[in-house]
Amino acid sequence: MDSYANLIPLVILVPAIGALINLFLGHKLGERLSGLVGVTASVLAFIFSVLIFAYLSDPAVVTGIVIDPPLLDGWIRIGSDAGFSVNIPWQFRVDTITAVMLLVVTGVGSLIHIYSIGYMHGDPKYARFFAFLNMFMMFMLILVTGNNFLMMFVGWEGVGVMSYLLIGFWWDKSAPVGWRNSDAARKAMIANRVGDFGIIMATILIFWTFGTVNYYSPGEVANSCYVLEHAESISAEQAEHGECDAEAVEAFATGAVGEHEEGEAEGSEEATEESSEVEGEANAGIVLVQETETEGEHAEEAEAEGEHGEEAAHGAHMSVEDMTNANFMPDQMGVFAQLDALVNLDEGETIPWAVSPDGTVIERGREVQFGPYSADISVVLFLIIVFIVLGVSGKSAQIPLFVWLPDAMAGPTPVSALMHAATMVTAGVYLLVRSNVFITYSPEGRLLIAIIGTATALVAGLTAVGQWDIKRVLAFSTVSQLGFMVAAIGVGAYVAAIFHLVTHAVFKALLFLGSGSVIHGVEHGEHHVHELHAHDHHGDHHDDHGEPFDPQDMRNMGGLRARMPITFVTYLIGTFALSGLPIFAGFWSKDEILLDALVHGGESTNVLDQLSGFIVFFGLLVAAGFTAFYMWRQIQMVFFGEPRSEAARHAPESVPSMTIPLIVLAIGATFIGLINVPGGAWPFTLFYKLHEFGHFLEASIPSITTGHTLDFNWLLAGLATAVAFGAIFLAHSIYAGNKAVRGEHGAVDGRDPLQDNGSTSQIFTAANRRLYWDDFYFAVFIRPYQRIAAFFADVIDWNFWHDYVHDKVIKRGYDTISQLLANPLDIGLIDGAVNGVGRLVSYLSGRFRTAQTGYVRTYAVVLLLGVVAVIVLMVLPLIPIGS
Amino acid sequence: MEFAVPTEFFFVLSLILFTLGALGVLLRKNAILVFMSVELMLNSANLALVAFARQWGSQEGHIFVFFVMTVAAAEVAVGLALIVAIFRSKQSINIDDLHQMEG
């Protein structure tokens, strides 16, 4: 069986080629062909991803593979091998997290490509749109497949640029209300740049601390415990899977098996103790992080006695013995393995860290040296996490940088679905899961992440309640759901975060595409109305009182249930999935997060962890209530009641190329939660495999806790469902059949029932104004910035530099000097000299002319005298005088 | 060479002839006479050249003499033509009348 993992370069190359074709030939291809190119590229990438996924689902290979693509081996290489050197190879990390992300990106991406064929029909920049989509996909794939933080950053920046280009895709369109598209694009770019600064700082700090930015070295596996559990299947199938070439895994598997067979055959007492401890804990599925320190003491014995066993015990976690072998440099060891070794050192204890060119072994303790400063590894770790979280808050729209995502809805709807709901914004979650080892060792970091995630989920959930724009509700919902994922990571629930990421990708893509379908329908309805009015010149445009018609404003909608049945049903399914009603996708993933938070907080002895578990559990429960509330509000306003505009009255159902992806996604949104059915109670035991998804992912998450295999909790599920139903009931009672949201002049002055209720009007207004967050930024950052800019422009630049320095100092000085040079020097001296020579010549010639008598005789005499003089001069020296 | 006129004799004769020619050029007003005086100077130079050639047993002097004679002949051709042309326009060949080149 050939290794499908080697398809990874192709997965990236295919969208790249598609993008290039559309970029350079798109205008010649025409709409049909360039759409075909774009869709083919993404579908091919999807097929490859499925093959890779299938290959990795074999337990013998899930430990992860590092692939060096040809040509790019020495991507960044500075310095020689001896002494200081930086070597960052372009390597792909293929493990189960990668595989899941690949499926999400290419799967949802392909559906959105197909949907775009219909949605972008007739757009003059059709080919460019598909080129951008393909290129975005390429960068996203680089992001999730890279084996180091720098490759991740390449993808990270790439998706940022594509996001900027796609948000501003209709840059020349002036929005009817609020921001122009280009403003939104710039806002997204700037907010992201602030976050990117964090990523850069984190990468630099990581490199400084560990001497490498690689996640793993080719020989390392992520999760030694997982390998131990599956050791037998690995060794049995190893011959078949030649590509499981990682030496550590091999040594590991053989060692582990040998251990099983030989039992306590080792000689030394210490070594025996170690191995039994290793075996016991490994079988319990707990990462063996404590071993390194104890083994430090018994390094030599252990190495002598049970080398294989020791390697087996650690696998990914480079053991002290390996380091005593002193044949590695830090860049031969991934960041996470190094971290494992460092963090577990005691105060004052050191380990051999690297070998300098002259052969001396460099020791290293917990202190990390930064030039003249040094810090404990845990402080450095917290700093790294803070910077990573800053980056995540930019890309994944968390507090404090979430403000850009709602404005990003200015872009075409497929973009909103693909990038701003399903893929790009999950990059931050992916990065956090990737960095799980960091997070595991830093309780402060966990608390920070938990607080940010929960706060984001709450703030964005509340804000979504107050929005009029159909896509903006979904945008704030996305921000809120991303907060759920980040909060999950804050309580160590990596699997739950990824699980929610997957389900959310499906149902939020569904909702966005559904909203795109609604907008499309309302726009067509509006055109229809205008065509009617063009015939009879009544001029009574219902929605046109000086304000342009906004097809995205929910106050213009209503009653679309009958006009757009497919869109309605699929949208309803998406709403159920997002609200977390039982059976639908969100139910499983959201409950898993809540349960993990509960267990994490309850079982931990660390007060910080208890706090974060508490915050996350109650915060997310409330946020889940918000979710169900604003979604049902939206359903009521868009699909129920009477149409509140002529456009809504005439909205047609969308074309099949748009509705078919909706149906596919709706099926997905209904059933995808079943991939990770928890065990524990009767109906679930009927399933073939329990915690399938969790088991799949755990291989890639070295610091996984037991949380991912928790049993179904009826009480919690009941509570969450009750909250969701309660919120839906509340929303229903407020919005059902209520036409108050339509004002006299259509959408412009439409009021919400919450607004007219004394006790809630303040809250609604605040939510409608986005909790004044943007105003806050305006007041704190943008206006002072503008003031300072104005000051610099007017006072410093104009008054000082222009008026004083340029006009007074430079210009006047120049004038003075040039006057000086021109008058006395040029005119006086140089001109005088030249003219003087002329005058002299003229004067002399006047004197000499009289010598010319014109008489031949005179000339003859002069000639004669001259000859005589010459002869005399010639002859005189020849005459000897006085001899 | 049992009998030979010493070279000094020729040299002195050449000097006398040259002086006569030079005086003729300076003192006479008739252009033709001036011309003839010039010829006299040239010939004195020729005489000196031949004398020196004989003195040193060299051929260069003779060759120069032929050159000088050729140039003198050409000069006479041009000079006489000029004198005739001047006479036609001025009705005179008195060189004191010819001072148009005065500075």
Side-chain angles (χ1 to χ4, degrees), chain A residues 508-809:
Chain A
K508 191 49 72 66
L510 165 64
L511 286 172
F512 264 114
L513 297 191
S515 77
S517 174
V518 168
I519 295 164
H520 217 238
V522 174
E523 262 174 357
H524 277 272
E526 167 75 359
H527 291 157
H528 179 71
V529 171
H530 272 286
E531 275 165 28
L532 283 184
H533 280 284
H535 292 294
D536 53 22
H537 293 279
H538 286 148
D540 185 16
H541 285 239
H542 297 270
D543 308 300
D544 266 14
H545 292 273
E547 291 286 337
F549 179 76
D550 182 5
Q552 304 195 13
D553 198 314
M554 294 194 293
R555 288 170 292 187
N556 285 327
M557 299 175 186
L560 289 175
R561 178 186 37 160
R563 301 285 311 172
M564 311 177 79
I566 300 175
T567 306
F568 168 64
V569 172
T570 52
Y571 208 91
L572 201 61
I573 290 172
T575 301
F576 289 156
L578 176 53
S579 307
L581 299 190
I583 303 302
F584 294 100
F587 173 73
W588 306 103
S589 50
K590 206 176 286 183
D591 279 9
E592 178 125 4
I593 293 175
L594 290 173
L595 187 58
D596 276 332
L598 203 60
V599 172
H600 176 80
E603 289 183 350
S604 175
T605 52
N606 186 323
V607 68
L608 292 178
D609 282 346
Q610 290 170 351
L611 186 62
S612 60
F614 177 80
I615 292 172
V616 170
F617 179 76
F618 287 104
L620 292 193
L621 206 58
V622 175
F626 281 138
T627 310
F629 184 85
Y630 63 67
M631 281 318 291
W632 197 255
R633 169 179 179 264
Q634 189 173 42
I635 289 279
Q636 283 292 341
M637 289 178 76
V638 174
F639 291 106
F640 284 94
E642 291 296 310
R644 289 188 292 274
S645 72
E646 284 304 305
R649 211 181 295 282
H650 295 95
E653 178 62 287
S654 298
V655 292
S657 75
M658 290 165 75
T659 52
I660 288 170
L662 286 180
I663 294 168
V664 173
L665 283 170
I667 294 169
T670 314
F671 294 112
I672 197 162
L674 300 180
I675 59 173
N676 197 28
V677 173
W682 164 68
F684 308 116
T685 48
L686 295 177
F687 282 91
Y688 167 59
K689 277 183 174 172
L690 300 173
H691 293 298
E692 174 71 16
F693 192 68
H695 285 305
F696 181 68
L697 276 182
E698 68 180 340
S700 305
I701 303 174
S703 48
I704 190 104
T705 62
T706 50
H708 66 295
T709 51
L710 291 173
D711 284 343
F712 189 76
N713 187 326
W714 286 102
L715 193 66
L716 178 69
L719 185 61
T721 311
V723 167
F725 271 118
I728 287 178
F729 177 75
L730 190 65
H732 190 79
S733 64
I734 295 174
Y735 290 100
N738 198 325
K739 293 179 199 166
V741 284
R742 176 168 174 81
E744 264 177 59
H745 304 300
V748 185
D749 61 349
R751 293 179 68 78
D752 194 278
L754 287 180
Q755 216 169 351
D756 296 328
N757 182 333
S759 56
T760 53
S761 67
Q762 296 257 318
I763 298 172
F764 182 85
T765 311
N768 187 250
R769 299 289 309 276
R770 306 165 170 208
L771 299 185
Y772 306 104
W773 209 283
D774 284 46
D775 305 83
F776 172 75
Y777 276 167
F778 254 98
V780 173
F781 294 113
I782 297 173
R783 204 142 309 136
Y785 173 81
Q786 286 171 337
R787 294 253 169 76
I788 294 171
F791 173 77
F792 275 107
D794 292 343
V795 177
I796 302 292
D797 189 52
W798 192 253
N799 290 349
F800 178 71
W801 281 110
H802 179 268
D803 284 356
Y804 180 74
V805 175
H806 287 169
D807 284 2
K808 297 240 163 65
V809 177

Side-chain angles (χ1 to χ4, degrees), chain A residues 351-375:
Chain A
I351 49 169
W353 191 248
V355 184
S356 64
D358 58 5
T360 51
V361 177
I362 299 165
E363 300 273 327
R364 182 131 171 235
R366 285 180 61 96
E367 292 283 305
V368 182
Q369 201 72 31
F370 297 101
Y373 309 102
S374 75

Side-chain angles (χ1 to χ4, degrees), chain A residues 849-861 864 867, chain B residues 18 22 25-29 95-96 98-103:
Chain A
R849 61 184 291 205
T850 50
Q852 303 289 330
T853 58
Y855 294 104
V856 176
R857 222 188 323 254
T858 319
Y859 300 148
V861 169
L864 189 72
V867 168
Chain B
F18 191 87
V25 168
L26 293 177
L27 299 176
R28 304 303 297 226
K29 292 184 178 175
I95 55 171
D96 283 352
L98 305 174
H99 55 94
Q100 282 87 354
M101 294 287 277
E102 181 183 20

Side-chain angles (χ1 to χ4, degrees), chain A residues 90 105 111 116 144 204 392 404 480 549 613 694 700 702 705 734 746 798 804 816 829:
Chain A
W90 186 275
V105 172
L111 284 173
S116 302
V144 298
I204 291 171
V392 168
W404 66 271
S480 170
F549 179 76
S700 305
T705 62
I734 295 174
W798 192 253
Y804 180 74
T816 312
L829 196 68

